[in-house]
Amino acid sequence: MVRDTSLQGLLQAHRMSGITASASTRDHSIHVRASEGGLPVSVHIDQDELRFGGAALAATLVDLIAQATRRARAQRRTLLEREGMEASILDRLGLPTASSVAASENDRMGDETAPTSWLRSV
């Protein structure tokens, strides 16, 4: 719990600013925007994605929402750093750095199989 009232005010102002971030599949057939709290704000699913079934679609959505949430939380950290908040406090708040988010996304991309074609069916 944060005890410094000026720090509490700063955190409250930031929470109200509504930071969101987006994430999508490689072919952009599924695109989500989520808040830093993990709430999906918008979801776009191409009709072709429905052929994979509900379980696969749900797993992809959960993964993308988590990715967008991490990005939004990293944006929050960057904003708070610019306003002078110490890194130790940001670490205790669990806000990831932009570089740690990028590194985890690069690791994850290395594990994915690339599409066999970049062409979309018409």
Side-chain angles (χ1 to χ4, degrees):
M1 183 168 154
V2 179
R3 297 193 187 276
D4 183 352
T5 56
S6 62
L7 184 57
Q8 285 178 344
L10 178 64
L11 289 173
Q12 182 63 28
H14 274 281
R15 280 189 207 108
M16 295 174 64
S17 69
I19 290 180
T20 62
S22 61
S24 62
T25 55
R26 283 186 182 198
D27 63 357
H28 299 283
S29 59
I30 302 175
H31 179 85
V32 301
R33 179 166 286 286
S35 71
E36 65 186 294
L39 182 66
V41 176
S42 69
V43 176
H44 169 78
I45 304 168
D46 283 353
Q47 186 73 25
D48 291 343
E49 288 296 321
L50 301 177
R51 73 181 183 271
F52 297 114
L57 180 59
T60 301
L61 285 171
V62 167
D63 184 46
L64 290 174
I65 290 167
Q67 183 179 359
T69 300
R70 286 189 299 272
R71 289 177 178 177
R73 292 177 59 75
Q75 287 178 25
R76 171 69 66 207
R77 181 183 182 112
T78 300
L79 287 173
L80 290 171
E81 283 174 335
R82 286 183 187 151
E83 292 186 14
M85 190 172 287
E86 295 176 22
S88 62
I89 293 172
L90 297 169
D91 291 339
R92 285 194 308 243
L93 290 172
L95 296 174
T97 63
S99 60
S100 69
V101 171
S104 70
E105 289 179 10
N106 285 338
D107 290 343
R108 195 178 61 114
M109 282 182 63
D111 295 337
E112 291 179 1
T113 55
T116 56
S117 172
W118 292 102
L119 300 175
R120 298 181 114 185
S121 60
V122 184

